[in-house]
């Protein structure tokens, strides 16, 4: 059976609103949560970007759903040893319901420390080494590491869960999907791309869980919903390597001007037609994803009832 979850967008909402949405999601029958990990929003119009680990702590006291970071970059902005500590604590607080979603990141969030932003191949090397460090620290022993990209000096985690959180890797290209198949416990992406699924499975991912996320914009008026999705999420309609190297929201605004409302209408299920929303989700079900997370762009009130009563029943 496919698990349907809700995608909490830290770029669009402050901490209290994210917690409120998590409660509404659980009440509406969503079975799990994704939560984004950003320092900046994609666009200034989105207006938020709280520290995800604080929000996860609050979620642990608010809902009973599993939580996955979608996705944390453990290489530039945060050292992998710090990510390991944050993830271990989250797993303890969530009573074993935490999954650590990792990815190679975007300059948008990672450039802030002033460190150079490496090319894609090097970022994947860094990600692999970071996973090695995180797994070693999850083992509870003191470690010292002298690697190509990272150093760790006599570090040990003292607050550890009974079982470490599984590590999922995010991937949008063949190399990243193959890396996930080889070293991760699961795979994450945002496109129902059969080539990525095959790359993950053929590299060792057969039998491992696959998660996917997509965005939607429910509203009583389809045209207005399209405008909302265009205003708040137009950069999602661009498939380009530029998304990984642009350093600020204003650059995403500039490239987002290439996106028309018609492009958003084609790529994002908008409006009040439940079959339009269900059809978009079915593409991920048919691609073989085990867990699918939906994010409401814009005002969430009304979305949860709509999905509970009209969309989720179509997917059973």
């Amino acid at each position: 059976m496919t698990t349907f979850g809700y995608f909490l967008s830290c770029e669009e909402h402050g901490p209290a609103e994210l917690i409120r949405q998590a409660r509404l999601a659980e009440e509406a029958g969503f079975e799990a949560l994704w939560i984004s990990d950003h320092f900046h929003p994609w666009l200034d119009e989105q207006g938020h970007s709280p520290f995800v680990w604080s929000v996860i702590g609050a979620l642990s006291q608010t809902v009973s759903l599993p939580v996955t970071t979608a996705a944390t970059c453990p290489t530039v902005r945060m050292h992998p040893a710090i990510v390991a500590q944050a993830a271990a604590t989250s797993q303890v607080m969530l009573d074993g319901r935490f999954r650590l979603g990792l990815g190679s990141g975007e300059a948008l969030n990672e450039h802030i420390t002033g460190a150079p932003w490496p090319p894609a191949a090097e970022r994947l090397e860094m990600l692999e080494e970071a996973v090695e460090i995180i797994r070693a620290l999850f083992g509870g022993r003191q470690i010292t590491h002298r690697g190509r990209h990272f150093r760790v000096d006599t570090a040990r985690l003292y607050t550890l869960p009974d079982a470490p959180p599984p590590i999922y890797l995010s991937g949008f290209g063949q190399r990243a999907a193959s890396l996930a198949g080889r070293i991760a416990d699961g795979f994450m992406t945002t496109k129902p791309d059969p080539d990525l699924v095959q790359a993950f499975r053929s590299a060792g991912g057969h039998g491992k869980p696959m998660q996917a996320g997509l965005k939607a914009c429910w509203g009583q008026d389809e045209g207005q919903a399209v405008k909302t999705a265009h205003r708040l999420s137009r950069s999602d309609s661009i498939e380009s390597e530029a998304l990984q190297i642009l350093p600020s929201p204003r650059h995403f605004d500039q490239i987002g001007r290439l996106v028309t409302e018609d492009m958003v209408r084609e790529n994002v299920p908008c409006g009040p037609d439940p079959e339009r929303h269900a059809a978009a989700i079915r593409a991920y079900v048919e691609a073989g994803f085990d867990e699918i997370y939906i994010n409401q762009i814009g005002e969430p009130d009304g979305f949860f009832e709509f999905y509970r009563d009209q969309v989720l029943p179509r997917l059973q």
Side-chain angles (χ1 to χ4, degrees), residues 175-196:
R175 286 181 297 178
S178 295
L179 179 64
R182 183 162 56 84
I183 71 169
D185 301 308
F187 178 53
M188 310 167 66
T189 191
T190 57
K191 301 290 183 184
D193 186 337
D195 292 335
L196 292 183

Side-chain angles (χ1 to χ4, degrees), residues 234-240 243 252 255-259 263:
R234 56 190 175 275
S235 58
D236 290 338
S237 294
I238 297 173
E239 296 186 14
S240 170
L243 300 183
F252 280 86
I255 196 171
R257 293 171 193 171
L258 302 172
V259 178
M263 292 168 65

Side-chain angles (χ1 to χ4, degrees), residues 21 87 92 96 99 101-102 128 136 141 151 159 178 206 210 222 231 276 295:
Q21 289 184 25
V92 169
R99 281 83 64 89
L102 300 176
E128 183 168 3
R141 61 185 176 86
R151 291 194 172 192
T159 296
S178 295
H206 274 291
M210 298 191 301
E222 180 183 353
R231 178 172 61 86
R276 172 83 170 89
N295 168 248

Side-chain angles (χ1 to χ4, degrees), residues 9 17 59 81 141 144-145 147 163 178 214 217 261 269 293 300 309 312:
S9 173
E17 174 60 16
L59 288 172
R141 61 185 176 86
T144 294
H145 175 90
S178 295
L214 72 153
C217 189
E261 289 186 7
Y293 295 82
D309 298 338
L312 295 180

Side-chain angles (χ1 to χ4, degrees), residues 262-276:
D262 285 341
M263 292 168 65
V264 170
R265 190 189 304 271
E266 180 178 348
N267 294 327
V268 180
C270 294
D273 179 1
E275 188 53 38
R276 172 83 170 89

Side-chain angles (χ1 to χ4, degrees), residues 120-289:
E122 185 174 346
R123 295 201 302 270
L124 290 177
E125 282 183 3
M126 295 174 73
L127 181 59
E128 183 168 3
E129 187 177 337
V131 170
E132 177 187 347
I133 293 167
I134 290 167
R135 288 199 192 280
L137 286 166
F138 282 169
R141 61 185 176 86
Q142 180 176 287
I143 73 162
T144 294
H145 175 90
R146 297 288 184 269
R148 179 173 180 181
H149 300 289
F150 301 106
R151 291 194 172 192
V152 181
D153 184 12
T154 58
R156 176 185 169 191
L157 297 182
Y158 280 82
T159 296
L160 287 167
D162 294 334
I167 295 175
Y168 290 20
L169 289 193
S170 172
F172 302 97
Q174 297 282 317
R175 286 181 297 178
S178 295
L179 179 64
R182 183 162 56 84
I183 71 169
D185 301 308
F187 178 53
M188 310 167 66
T189 191
T190 57
K191 301 290 183 184
D193 186 337
D195 292 335
L196 292 183
V197 171
Q198 181 57 37
F200 170 69
R201 288 176 171 166
S202 63
H206 274 291
K208 296 179 182 179
M210 298 191 301
Q211 299 181 337
L214 72 153
K215 295 194 175 185
C217 189
W218 171 83
Q220 294 290 0
D221 180 88
E222 180 183 353
Q224 187 57 52
V226 168
K227 290 182 182 299
T228 297
H230 183 265
R231 178 172 61 86
L232 293 173
S233 196
R234 56 190 175 275
S235 58
D236 290 338
S237 294
I238 297 173
E239 296 186 14
S240 170
E241 209 174 313
L243 300 183
Q244 295 180 328
I245 62 175
L246 297 176
S248 73
R250 68 185 176 87
H251 295 115
F252 280 86
D253 176 61
Q254 290 165 6
I255 196 171
R257 293 171 193 171
L258 302 172
V259 178
T260 67
E261 289 186 7
D262 285 341
M263 292 168 65
V264 170
R265 190 189 304 271
E266 180 178 348
N267 294 327
V268 180
C270 294
D273 179 1
E275 188 53 38
R276 172 83 170 89
H277 290 256
I281 297 168
R282 283 194 198 101
Y284 293 84
V285 176
E286 292 166 1
F289 287 94

